Amino acid sequence: MPQEKKPRFTLGSADDLFTTQEMRDDANDYKRQILLELYTGMRMGEINALKPENIDFKRGLIHVEATISRGMKSRSYYKKHPKTEPSIRDVPISKRAEPILKEALEEMRDNPEGLIFYDFNKDDVIATYQVGSFFQRICRKAKVPCAGQHALRHTFATRCIEAGVPAIVLKRWLGHTNIHITMDRYVDVFERMNNSAIGQFENYIDRVKEECMVYVA
């Protein structure tokens, strides 16, 4: 059975999305989480569970150690330890993610859980479905096809593969249990990159050959 392709944004569709009026509305609390998912590949539950002590600008890392989970009667709550051990990890802070985190920290208000992102209207943690619903609305407004906000995580992974990030490194950033999950989930992207890799190899061999000829001469 062929691997199902994951929905991913193009850069153009992301630009359309992020320039909508609703996305620019400062009254909305979810735009930074959406951008962080796109620029870090973190799960939305992990983003909503971030605390100031998880952000290390000096080392350029986000320490992921918790998530917003759903319990009895679908109630969302802060869970210190994610489902799997690999989910506890350090994720690099990209240049695009850094100003978003700094803005979020500057505007953070005291709350019972000590979270960077908190729903003060409900006086509760922010559930993934809340961000997902907002994401669907802005996608419709921007006329961008969307299967869900999790597509942003897949977009991050795709861009990493296209940029040449090794699968084992991407596996750690995404918090996958093993490398097979990463390889299987993005098999179409890896295959596309493998097809162009032989050209890179041939160009390298040609350069080495020329350098050797110059040295011998």
Side-chain angles (χ1 to χ4, degrees):
M1 184 175 179
Q3 177 77 17
E4 179 185 355
K5 291 186 177 181
K6 299 294 180 181
R8 303 177 186 110
F9 283 114
T10 63
L11 293 178
S13 62
D15 288 340
D16 291 340
L17 178 67
F18 301 150
T19 54
T20 61
Q21 184 60 44
E22 189 170 356
M23 194 66 176
R24 295 197 306 268
D25 185 359
D26 292 335
N28 193 283
D29 293 330
Y30 306 143
K31 60 185 177 183
R32 292 193 177 99
Q33 289 103 302
I34 288 172
L35 291 170
L36 285 174
E37 185 168 13
L38 180 66
Y39 297 144
T40 68
M42 292 171 59
R43 301 175 181 94
M44 188 52 64
E46 296 169 341
I47 293 171
N48 285 330
L50 286 175
K51 296 185 176 184
E53 55 264 36
N54 298 134
I55 312 301
D56 188 342
F57 289 115
K58 288 185 179 179
R59 297 174 60 208
L61 295 172
I62 301 171
H63 183 60
V64 181
E65 62 177 357
T67 189
I68 300 300
S69 188
R70 298 186 77 174
M72 298 289 291
K73 298 182 180 179
S74 298
R75 165 125 191 180
S76 295
Y77 67 98
Y78 175 85
K79 184 178 181 182
K80 177 65 174 177
H81 300 292
K83 275 197 222 177
T84 62
E85 187 175 338
S87 293
I88 301 175
R89 64 198 189 279
D90 289 330
V91 175
I93 301 175
S94 68
K95 289 182 179 179
R96 289 180 178 270
E98 183 175 354
I100 299 168
L101 286 168
K102 287 183 176 179
E103 288 174 3
L105 286 167
E106 287 174 2
E107 296 183 14
M108 175 186 167
R109 294 158 54 191
D110 290 339
N111 59 81
E113 298 288 354
L115 299 172
I116 296 175
F117 304 107
Y118 190 79
D119 189 335
F120 288 94
N121 293 323
K122 295 194 313 178
D123 191 21
D124 203 352
V125 298
I126 298 174
T128 296
Y129 77 84
Q130 292 176 249
V131 184
S133 296
F134 168 72
F135 185 71
Q136 292 282 359
R137 290 198 301 274
I138 62 171
C139 282
R140 287 195 296 269
K141 191 167 185 177
K143 298 181 180 179
V144 174
C146 173
Q149 50 82 206
H150 205 67
L152 295 165
R153 177 170 155 91
H154 296 310
T155 298
F156 170 82
T158 300
R159 299 293 171 256
C160 285
I161 297 168
E162 292 172 347
V165 174
I168 189 64
V169 174
L170 182 60
K171 175 254 181 192
R172 289 197 296 268
W173 289 355
L174 295 175
H176 287 161
T177 305
N178 58 65
I179 192 66
H180 301 294
I181 294 176
T182 311
M183 297 298 291
D184 292 344
R185 191 157 293 176
Y186 300 102
V187 61
D188 58 317
V189 188
F190 281 115
E191 286 180 352
R192 187 169 72 245
M193 298 308 293
N194 284 338
N195 291 337
S196 63
I198 188 62
Q200 297 174 15
F201 169 75
E202 290 171 345
N203 290 336
Y204 173 75
I205 292 299
D206 288 342
R207 288 199 305 272
V208 172
K209 183 178 179 180
E210 289 175 2
E211 289 171 2
C212 289
M213 290 176 66
V214 171
Y215 178 76
V216 171

